[in-house]
């Protein structure tokens, strides 16, 4: 069939030209909207500027075809072969290209918005400044492709292969890159804000200057990656691997990275305001100084000498454990949740609810804190819903008061820890005492919880510092003795009377408290 015959029949209303052979034909500028050219041979055809919107080109051969500026919107190109085709500025919006072959195709500034390219092969294709907003590229092969300056906002690239691709200055905000292969890719200055990169392979990737704010990189592999000056503010870096990665000047403000592996990584100049220093693997890490200023403007610098950085980054997060000698009931669970919600409204250092381990006889509430010096003050607050609160708070106040007195009077203790650390510890406790009074007066949920049998049960409070040293700051005399002398009491062990009649004067020894504070990893602010 000749071009003239095809056009004549199309004009007469014929749409089905399946299997037609028009190799090397000139069809530039033709209007063939809705035509069926499935299985057609259109290799080396000139279709520049042609209108093929909603056309069926599935399984068609379009190798080395010229389709620059062509309108292929909503066209069906499933399993079509477009190797080395010229699709510069072509409109492929909402087109179906499942399993299509686009090896070394030219798609510069092409529009592929909402196109389905799942399992397509775009090896070494040129997609510079192309638009692929919300495109489906799941399982697609994009190895060694050029996507420099392309827009892939909201695109699905899950499990795609982007090995050694150029994605520099790409907009991948909100994109799905779960389990994607990105080894040795260039993502410098790319916008990956809010992108999902969990489980992705980013080994030896260049992410220098990239925007990764609020991105999810949990479980991602970034060994040997370059992240110089990258913005990882509020990023999820849980269990992320940064072995030998370069994070110089990286912005890690409020990033969550418990379980991250920073073995052999370089962190000099990283911005770490409000970022946890705990739960990390840091063996062999290089870090000469960090920026702790809220704005990341170097107004607060922490310098390290020799092994000082080991005292800053530590694998053990400071925790407070309240162990309750009773099983958690549904009513108590609800009341405790409400109480801690109201406490958190007033006490901002309680950033997240406790983790709860509920057994048949005991319940453990575990609170994570940001720094060692906040352990005593936070413990003073979090015991509030329990009947043991008053005695526990007295113990905490006495311990801090005793250590302050000893430091002032005992010459051997004056160099125990930085005076700034003790000053901060005291300030935090004074604030906690004031806030506790206000919370008890204003927050009704605390009163409700305190009336429950669960909250009247004996408790034990255990602090663990960043050196993994523990200190019991409170233990009810009946703790662990629920069934002893129960008949003699002739009442529930939870009765108020049994609590009020007991004195709480058993404190850990001074040496135990001193050893505990010696294990603090304090960095001046």
């Amino acid at each position: 069939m000749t071009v003239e015959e095809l056009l004549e029949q199309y004009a007469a209303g014929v749409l089905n030209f399946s299997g037609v052979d028009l190799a090397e034909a000139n069809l530039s500028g033709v209007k063939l909207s809705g035509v069926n050219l499935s299985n057609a041979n259109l290799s080396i055809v000139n279709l520049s500027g042609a209108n093929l919107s909603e056309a069926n080109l599935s399984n068609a051969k379009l190798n080395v075809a010229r389709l620059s500026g062509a309108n292929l919107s909503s066209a069906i190109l499933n399993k079509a072969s477009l190797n080395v085709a010229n699709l510069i500025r072509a409109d492929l919006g909402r087109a179906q290209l499942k399993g299509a072959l686009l090896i070394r195709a030219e798609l510069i500034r092409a529009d592929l918005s909402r196109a389905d390219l799942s399992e397509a092969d775009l090896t070494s294709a040129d997609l510079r400044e192309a638009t692929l907003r919300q495109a489906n590229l799941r399982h697609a092969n994009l190895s060694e492709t050029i996507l420099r300056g392309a827009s892939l906002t909201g695109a699905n690239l899950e499990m795609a292969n982007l090995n050694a691709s150029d994605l520099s200055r790409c907009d991948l905000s909100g994109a799905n890159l779960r389990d994607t292969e990105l080894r040795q890719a260039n993502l410098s200055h790319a916008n990956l804000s809010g992108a999902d990169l969990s489980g992705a392979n980013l080994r030896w990737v260049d992410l220098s200057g990239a925007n990764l704010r609020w991105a999810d990189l949990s479980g991602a592999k970034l060994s040997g990656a370059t992240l110089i000056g990258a913005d990882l503010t509020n990023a999820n870096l849980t269990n992320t691997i940064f072995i030998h990665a370069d994070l110089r000047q990286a912005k890690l403000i409020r990033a969550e990275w418990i379980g991250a592996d920073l073995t052999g990584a370089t962190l000099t100049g990283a911005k770490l305001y409000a970022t946890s220093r705990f739960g990390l693997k840091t063996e062999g890490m290089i870090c000469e100084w960090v920026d702790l200023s809220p704005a990341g403007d170097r107004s607060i610098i922490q310098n390290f000498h020799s092994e000082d950085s080991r005292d800053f980054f530590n694998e053990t997060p400071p925790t407070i454990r309240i162990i309750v000698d009773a099983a958690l009931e549904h009513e108590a669970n609800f009341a405790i949740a409400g109480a801690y919600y109201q406490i958190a409204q007033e006490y901002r250092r309680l950033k997240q609810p406790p983790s709860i381990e509920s057994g048949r006889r005991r319940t453990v509430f575990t609170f994570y804190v940001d720094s060692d010096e906040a352990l005593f003050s936070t413990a003073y607050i979090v015991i509030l819903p329990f009947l043991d609160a008053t005695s526990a708070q007295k113990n905490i106040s006495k311990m801090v008061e005793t250590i302050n007195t000893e430091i002032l009077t005992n010459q051997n203790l004056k160099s125990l820890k930085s005076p700034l650390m003790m000053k901060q510890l005291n300030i935090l406790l004074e604030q906690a005492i004031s806030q506790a009074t206000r919370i008890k007066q204003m927050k009704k949920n605390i009163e409700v919880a305190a009336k429950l049998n669960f909250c009247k049960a004996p408790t034990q409070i255990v602090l663990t510092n960043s050196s993994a040293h523990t200190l019991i700051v409170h233990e009810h005399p009946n703790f662990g003795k629920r069934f002893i002398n129960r008949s003699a009491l002739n009442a529930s062990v939870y009765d108020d009377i049994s609590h009020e009649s007991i004195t709480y004067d058993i404190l850990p020894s001074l040496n135990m408290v001193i050893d505990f504070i010696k294990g603090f990893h304090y960095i001046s602010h």
Side-chain angles (χ1 to χ4, degrees):
M1 179 180 288
T2 65
V3 171
E4 291 75 15
E5 288 173 337
L6 183 144
L7 295 175
E8 185 178 328
Q9 289 184 33
Y10 179 81
V14 178
L15 295 175
N16 189 1
F17 298 97
S18 179
V20 70
D21 187 348
L22 291 167
E24 300 186 40
N26 184 3
L27 290 160
S28 61
V30 298
K31 295 179 180 178
L32 292 167
S33 179
V35 72
N36 181 2
L37 289 164
S38 58
N39 297 297
N41 182 6
L42 299 165
S43 297
I44 322 179
V45 164
N46 182 1
L47 282 159
S48 301
N51 184 352
L52 290 156
S53 59
E54 299 182 4
N56 184 355
L57 291 149
S58 55
N59 294 295
K61 291 183 175 63
L62 289 144
N63 296 319
V64 203
R66 293 171 59 186
L67 289 146
S68 56
N71 181 358
L72 289 151
S73 59
S74 300
I76 301 169
L77 290 139
N78 295 331
K79 296 187 178 178
S81 183
L82 293 129
N83 296 326
V84 203
N86 180 348
L87 289 144
I88 295 171
R89 295 181 184 273
D91 183 357
L92 288 146
R94 298 180 185 273
Q96 293 183 40
L97 291 138
K98 295 178 186 176
L101 298 175
L102 291 138
I103 298 167
R104 292 176 57 203
E106 291 182 279
L107 289 143
I108 300 166
R109 296 188 180 177
D111 185 357
L112 291 134
S113 299
R114 298 180 184 272
D116 189 347
L117 289 140
S118 54
E119 299 185 7
D121 190 345
L122 292 117
T123 303
S124 301
D126 191 342
L127 288 138
R128 278 175 291 169
E129 299 180 32
T131 303
L132 294 115
R133 295 188 186 98
Q134 296 182 38
N136 182 10
L137 290 145
R138 195 171 187 270
H139 280 294
N141 185 357
L142 293 142
S143 60
E144 299 182 0
T145 55
I146 302 170
L147 284 147
R148 190 164 57 249
S151 175
L152 291 117
T153 55
N156 183 2
L157 291 137
E158 187 174 4
M159 291 183 277
N161 180 6
L162 287 143
N163 179 39
S165 290
D166 183 358
L167 292 138
S168 56
R169 301 191 182 277
C170 253
D171 188 351
L172 286 146
S173 53
N176 177 5
L177 292 139
R178 279 196 302 266
D179 300 313
T180 299
E181 175 61 60
L182 285 150
R183 190 175 64 254
Q184 294 183 315
N186 181 2
L187 283 152
S188 61
H189 300 284
N191 181 5
L192 288 147
S193 57
D196 185 351
L197 289 142
S198 55
N201 183 2
L202 293 147
R203 290 184 176 96
W204 308 105
V205 160
D206 184 357
L207 280 158
S208 54
N211 179 359
L212 288 149
R213 296 172 68 92
W214 295 100
D216 184 355
L217 288 141
S218 57
K221 304 166 188 70
L222 287 117
S223 300
T226 301
L227 294 113
I228 299 170
D231 188 349
L232 291 135
T233 303
N234 291 305
N236 180 2
L237 307 172
T238 309
N239 298 321
T240 304
I241 298 171
F242 289 105
I243 296 173
H244 293 294
D246 191 341
L247 287 147
R248 283 176 293 168
Q249 314 290 327
K251 198 171 185 179
L252 290 149
I253 293 173
R254 297 187 185 89
E256 175 59 63
W257 58 354
I258 287 177
D261 190 344
L262 292 150
T263 304
T266 303
L267 240 75
T268 299
K271 304 173 195 304
L272 295 170
Y273 174 76
T275 301
S276 173
R277 309 192 306 265
F278 307 105
L280 306 169
K281 295 179 181 177
T282 59
E283 187 177 351
M285 187 179 71
I286 300 166
C287 189
E288 296 173 5
W289 61 276
V290 292
D291 182 351
L292 299 174
S293 59
D297 57 7
R298 302 193 187 186
S299 57
I300 304 173
I301 295 294
Q302 178 66 51
N303 291 299
F304 299 122
H305 302 286
S306 61
E307 301 298 317
D308 285 357
S309 62
R310 288 189 181 182
D311 285 345
F312 185 85
F313 299 99
N314 197 278
E315 289 190 40
T316 306
T319 60
I320 300 157
R321 281 185 298 148
I322 298 177
I323 305 166
V324 185
D325 212 4
L328 183 64
E329 301 161 346
H330 289 296
E331 183 185 11
N333 187 32
F334 180 76
I336 291 283
Y340 283 129
Y341 171 76
Q342 290 199 330
I343 287 170
Q345 303 307 299
E346 188 72 29
Y347 187 73
R348 295 297 181 181
R349 285 186 172 271
L350 193 62
K351 295 177 181 176
Q352 61 186 41
S355 62
I356 304 173
E357 184 183 343
S358 182
R360 294 174 67 183
R361 289 187 56 182
R362 283 187 178 174
T363 306
V364 181
F365 296 87
T366 303
F367 299 83
Y368 292 88
V369 298
D370 289 336
S371 61
D372 285 319
E373 62 269 23
L375 280 167
F376 289 100
S377 54
T378 305
Y380 193 97
I381 291 288
V382 296
I383 192 61
L384 276 172
F386 297 91
L387 191 64
D388 281 353
T390 301
S391 56
Q393 289 170 338
K394 284 180 182 176
N395 279 10
I396 291 166
S397 295
K398 282 180 183 177
M399 281 182 221
V400 175
E401 184 181 338
T402 301
I403 199 69
N404 282 326
T405 303
E406 286 297 318
I407 288 173
L408 287 171
T409 58
N410 192 330
Q411 291 292 328
N412 295 327
L413 294 180
K414 286 187 177 179
S415 60
L416 175 67
K417 277 287 170 184
S418 163
L420 288 173
M421 184 274 288
M422 286 307 301
K423 182 180 178 181
Q424 179 72 0
L425 190 154
N426 286 312
I427 289 170
L428 291 174
L429 184 57
E430 287 171 12
Q431 291 173 347
I433 292 168
S434 175
Q435 287 169 311
T437 303
R438 189 160 54 249
I439 289 167
K440 284 191 288 186
Q441 291 172 345
M442 296 172 59
K443 306 300 183 183
K444 298 297 180 185
N445 277 18
I446 308 299
E447 292 180 22
V448 172
K451 291 176 182 177
L452 298 172
N453 279 344
F454 177 80
C455 293
K456 296 176 184 178
T459 62
Q460 181 189 66
I461 304 174
V462 183
L463 309 186
T464 303
N465 65 23
S466 59
S467 296
H469 299 156
T470 60
L471 182 71
I472 298 172
V473 296
H474 161 78
E475 183 174 288
H476 190 284
N478 279 347
F479 182 80
K481 305 171 186 176
R482 287 186 67 197
F483 302 107
I484 297 175
N485 296 326
R486 187 170 183 178
S487 58
L489 286 173
N490 197 27
S492 168
V493 293
Y494 304 135
D495 285 350
D496 291 16
I497 296 170
S498 65
H499 275 69
E500 290 170 0
S501 62
I502 296 167
T503 56
Y504 298 91
D505 54 3
I506 302 171
L507 293 169
S509 69
L510 177 61
N511 286 339
M512 289 172 69
V513 179
I514 289 172
D515 287 343
F516 183 72
I517 292 176
K518 279 181 178 178
F520 282 15
H521 289 112
Y522 177 75
I523 298 296
S524 59
H525 298 290

